[in-house]
Amino acid sequence: MNLNRFPRRHHQGSILLGVVLVVLVLSLLLGTVLRYSSNTHRNSVRQTRIEKAKLIAESEMEYLFYRWISEVNRGTASDDIDDRLVADGFIVADPTADMTPFSASIAADGWTISRSITFHRIPDTHDGSATGNRPGTNKTGRNYYFVARTRATITDPSFGKIEYRLGRRFVRSETSLLQFAVFYQDDLEIASGSNMTIKGPISTNGSAYIGAQSGVEIYITDKVSVGGSLNGGTNAVDGTQLRKPGASGSSTLHDPIFDTDLEDGTLPDQTAARTAQYEKLNAPENFIGGVDLAKALENPVYNNDPNEVYRSIIAPPPRNSSGDLIEEDPTVQNRRMYNRAGIVVTVGVDSVTGDAVVNVGTSTNPTAFNTAIGDALKAQVFPELRKDVFDKRENRFVKVTTMDVERLNHALASIPSLGNAYNGVLYVHDNTNGSGSGSAIRMKNAEATPDFKDAYGAAKGFALVSDNPVYVQGDYNTKKIVENSVTRDNPAAIMADAVTLLSAGWNDDNSTHTIDAAEGARVADMLGQGPKDGYSTAENTMTVNSAILTGNTPSTGPDDPGPATNSGGVQNIVRLMEDWWGPALNIKLKGSIGQLFKSKYFNSPFKSTGVATPDGDPSVYYIPDSRELEFDEDLAKRPPPWTPTTTEFHRGDIFLW
């Protein structure tokens, strides 16, 4: 018997057992690998679905962002944006409710989405905004915060419900144009012949030429920001060109006085003061409400004329010969004050009788309130329609329609439909023959302007806007209002092709008199020997508490054809045309004065005292005893509703919900 065979069998069995164990281990490992691979693949597929859901939610968020911008540009109030978008079917009030994606291919794949947005109102504020300086500037801005949510959902046969929820904060930042005591789109000129004080910042996208005539001073209390040069120099102190080259005028000018504290009785070193109060703009200020000028001019409706874009703020929308609206740049369209006005008044001529008529309505229905206001009250609010009044600067008769603001207040308060429609903007224009040429609007009895509050107790203010020139007779907006227990000026603005001030006692019957003849009539009136002369008044100062945004007729330059002309400068951007010197009247403008465009209808150049005019009148008016331009800082914080702003839109933080 060979006993060596048994160990060999034992050894072979051990090998077999080892092989079985190895196979078993490998099988277990292979199963684990297969299971891992399967799970990895499944997780990868599921993650791909989630990534797609994320991409869909993000694309819906971008879609919502631009739709939100469009709604803001339409002028929809922040509190009303969600309701408007829900009504349009664009968003849902409940962010968990299902909607159809804007992409048809995504919808065909079985995805549903939701879009929602809510306005995050800041407590205890009149419009829900947070007020403060715009980042990187000293300009007062208002930030409006919104919370946007999107959701993408699909039911997968393998994975069940897959959903991704994305949230983002949208911020609308608005900076009112009313950030300065004086601002100019073009070159700014001052050559004042009477004492003049400008209390507040000055800014121009062009160059500034500032000088006072002999015997008077110009006081500047704040910064002067220029896009070009200051008095012909590259810095604050090197400029010596006090009058714009080419502009008419032969009087010798001297430098203005820079002084941030007029009350301390001391005059600072002028070199240091000018340097401190001078600022060179890195880029032009956008004074046309955030409109992209180059993009707007791609539309032929503006005839490639930048001034037509600038004037769009006050002009009605363009129409063709059939009276139909012409498609225009939507940003320009959304910033037209005509489209933003709660009430639109249209003066014209009856095509049958030739009589002057006035209609009261809205931008979409110009006669909407005619029946409600009635002919009798309408005649009280507009006591004179298209009356001939001679304008000395234009050297022609103008058809003037007078609006009695005191009676307007009564109409707004007594007629519910009119009061409910009023949103702070009243657009009044005479569009006879489809144009504002040869016509003007006059405001009288306007010491108290419309005082209406919104749902939060904030004043709606009063913005009077016209494509025509506007006359203001007597004190304007001088009666205080009470807003949320605080006494303040009613926020007001006048926006027009040109603005002319008339003293309280102005008399249309004397409008054709030369200045010297008017002075004689004033003396005769005082002696009881003649008719009442409107050039005299018992008040020493005419006060206007309002922003004024208007146009001018720029001075000609040395390369321009024809004789040299003068714009009249900042001191005459608000026009005058009567004897202010004889009664020693002063003018005080409290608000913000801005030149946005070249006047279209009142475009006669300035005619100063002692310069012969074509009609032989040696002067247009005698200068006021003094002028004071005071910046109303409250307008920057709380401007009249709907008045132009530079608007910026920001995407804020992302969050998951």
Side-chain angles (χ1 to χ4, degrees), residues 57 119 245 283 324 428 437 449:
F119 175 45
D324 299 321
V428 184
S437 179
T449 53

Side-chain angles (χ1 to χ4, degrees), residues 566-627:
N566 196 315
S567 73
V570 170
Q571 67 273 20
N572 295 304
I573 183 74
V574 179
R575 297 178 171 205
L576 307 169
M577 60 176 196
E578 55 184 310
D579 178 11
W580 293 80
W581 186 262
L585 295 178
N586 305 307
I587 289 178
K588 179 177 181 179
L589 303 178
K590 181 183 178 183
S592 180
I593 310 298
Q595 179 262 339
L596 294 177
F597 45 79
K598 300 176 183 67
S599 297
K600 184 174 183 178
Y601 300 125
F602 269 20
N603 50 25
S604 174
F606 175 73
K607 303 177 183 69
S608 61
T609 301
V611 178
T613 60
D615 63 352
D617 187 355
S619 59
V620 175
Y621 69 89
Y622 286 119
I623 57 179
D625 199 39
S626 69
R627 298 176 175 93

Side-chain angles (χ1 to χ4, degrees), residues 409-472:
N409 291 335
H410 172 70
L412 291 172
S414 61
I415 302 172
S417 59
L418 204 62
N420 291 336
Y422 180 71
N423 66 347
V425 180
L426 178 67
Y427 191 97
V428 184
H429 68 141
D430 185 329
N431 71 339
T432 305
N433 300 322
S435 168
S437 179
S439 307
I441 307 299
R442 170 166 50 187
M443 291 186 286
K444 293 178 65 174
N445 299 327
E447 293 88 352
T449 53
D451 178 16
F452 285 78
K453 307 295 194 301
D454 64 18
Y456 303 95
K460 290 184 178 181
F462 181 53
L464 186 286
V465 187
S466 182
D467 187 41
N468 306 102
V470 165
Y471 297 97
V472 179

Side-chain angles (χ1 to χ4, degrees), residues 343 360 372-373 377-378 380-382 404-420 452:
I343 300 173
V360 182
I373 192 172
L377 183 53
K378 189 191 297 183
Q380 294 177 18
V381 178
F382 301 97
D404 188 316
V405 178
E406 182 179 354
R407 300 309 298 170
L408 171 68
N409 291 335
H410 172 70
L412 291 172
S414 61
I415 302 172
S417 59
L418 204 62
N420 291 336
F452 285 78

